[in-house]
Amino acid sequence: MPDSQPQPPHSSSGHTDTGTLLLRGARLTDGRTVDVRLGGGRIEAVGTAGSLATPASGSLAAKVDLDGYLLLPAPAEPHAHGDTALTADGDGPLSYDTQEVQRRATEAALLQLGHGATALRSHVRVGDVQGLDALTAVLQARRALRGLAELTAVAMPRVLTGVAGADGLAILRDAVKMGASVVGGCPDADPDPTGYVEAVLELASEHGCPVDLHTDASDPARLARLAAMAGGLRSGVTLGPCGGLGRLPLEVAARAADQLAAAGVTVVCLPQGGCGGVDRRGTAPVRMLRAAGVRIAAGSGALRDLSNPVGRGDPLEAAYLLASRHGLRPEDAYDAVSSGARAALGLPEVRVEAGFPAELLAVRGNRLAGALSLAYSRIVVHRGRVVARTSAVREYCNSATAAGLDLPRQGRGEPS
């Protein structure tokens, strides 16, 4: 089940985009150079460079020259924490003032949009001191971002079992009524982790919501019970970051991977640093999970908050780390932050082919491996409209040696 229902494409003014956008001279990962025509929020046509013209029924809203750019399906962010993002440098206790949470959730989403993520899932704490204020703020940020990016919220109660759990369960129900489209939380922190999962799955089944749970996955027996319970939920179950799987004995982790695959559970790994304390850092064993048939996605986790004071929130960095540290092919690593991440969010597949959603990322470069290494300049397309640009220019002092060798040098010109 998608996090949110598809909406017609909108401009920044809130009106539906009806114009056509032509992307000229883009390079695809298979080596072809193509023109791509977008309209109505979808890819209308893909043809050889110079072959596409404006359809007779419409007028071109814009042309974008993508010579020197690699065109990719846009990434998505399956595991963000917008309510606590960008708070590492703050003085005093963390503020849950609604306006302040909305500001930082919006700023964090725009930061990640600039990197290419046109859809984001934000895990939001509910209950305790913050009540439903943080969720209210993130939902306000979602409305403010309409037309730029799709932001959805996961409600995360602290405790759902015992006497204290009654309040948590009530507030979780209220969160779903308010607009949280995913139910989640951290069963590891509840005195009865199995009871916590049962409560979440029951409520999710009742409302037809997906489930997205935080777990370190360091207890194989508990993980096996979770996988067994999750297998029957039609709207889907996602787990992350599961870094504890990498600390288990190989045969135990392999058995857990088989159980997760059989249950149809998606694992979201966080190669950029996780979202818990230092003692729970680590990335899930992605190669083992993939080999077992587990669906894999990669996210950013904490973004410059108290649990992780650094971070870029960049999906291409996550893909780079999966390739450089975990041995995935660049194509598989990028799939984890694009197709895999979109599938985890219940969103339709994107390919650079006619008929698919116009959710695209253009990065300067000719090959995917190079783009993951040095993706400085980027152009982001959401619902058929350019919504973000990042321009990077690198210059060196004049050098006769460099000129004589005819080394490549990026100029100041930018696509129009």
Side-chain angles (χ1 to χ4, degrees), residues 351-411:
R351 299 182 193 171
V352 188
E353 298 176 14
F356 284 87
E359 304 288 322
L360 302 168
L361 170 64
V363 296
R364 190 177 290 279
N366 294 319
R367 305 281 182 188
L368 184 57
L372 296 185
S373 303
L374 296 169
Y376 297 131
S377 295
R378 309 185 191 187
I379 299 173
V380 185
V381 175
H382 173 52
R383 293 182 176 176
R385 188 171 68 95
V386 173
V387 292
R389 291 175 183 249
T390 300
S391 174
V393 176
R394 175 175 290 168
E395 294 185 331
Y396 302 96
C397 63
N398 291 330
S399 167
T401 301
L405 293 174
D406 192 27
L407 297 176
R409 179 173 177 178
Q410 183 175 325

Side-chain angles (χ1 to χ4, degrees), residues 3 121 123 152-156 172 176 179-184 209-212:
D3 283 5
R121 178 185 281 184
H123 294 252
T152 55
V154 185
M156 291 181 55
L172 183 57
V176 173
S181 52
V182 187
V183 291
C209 295
V211 167
D212 197 329

Side-chain angles (χ1 to χ4, degrees), residues 98 101-102 124-126 130-143 178:
T98 303
V101 175
Q102 181 184 353
V124 185
R125 300 174 186 176
V126 297
Q130 62 269 30
L132 290 168
D133 290 348
L135 177 62
T136 298
V138 171
L139 294 177
Q140 289 172 345
R142 179 182 69 181
R143 289 188 287 271
M178 284 177 57

Side-chain angles (χ1 to χ4, degrees), residues 104-178:
R104 61 192 185 223
T106 303
E107 183 180 353
L110 289 174
L111 174 70
Q112 295 185 272
L113 173 64
H115 291 318
T118 61
L120 306 96
R121 178 185 281 184
S122 182
H123 294 252
V124 185
R125 300 174 186 176
V126 297
D128 296 332
V129 176
Q130 62 269 30
L132 290 168
D133 290 348
L135 177 62
T136 298
V138 171
L139 294 177
Q140 289 172 345
R142 179 182 69 181
R143 289 188 287 271
L145 290 162
R146 187 182 180 198
L148 295 174
E150 300 293 335
L151 175 64
T152 55
V154 185
M156 291 181 55
R158 186 174 64 87
V159 177
L160 289 180
T161 65
V163 176
D167 289 339
L169 192 56
I171 206 164
L172 183 57
R173 291 184 181 278
D174 288 342
V176 173
K177 293 175 184 177
M178 284 177 57

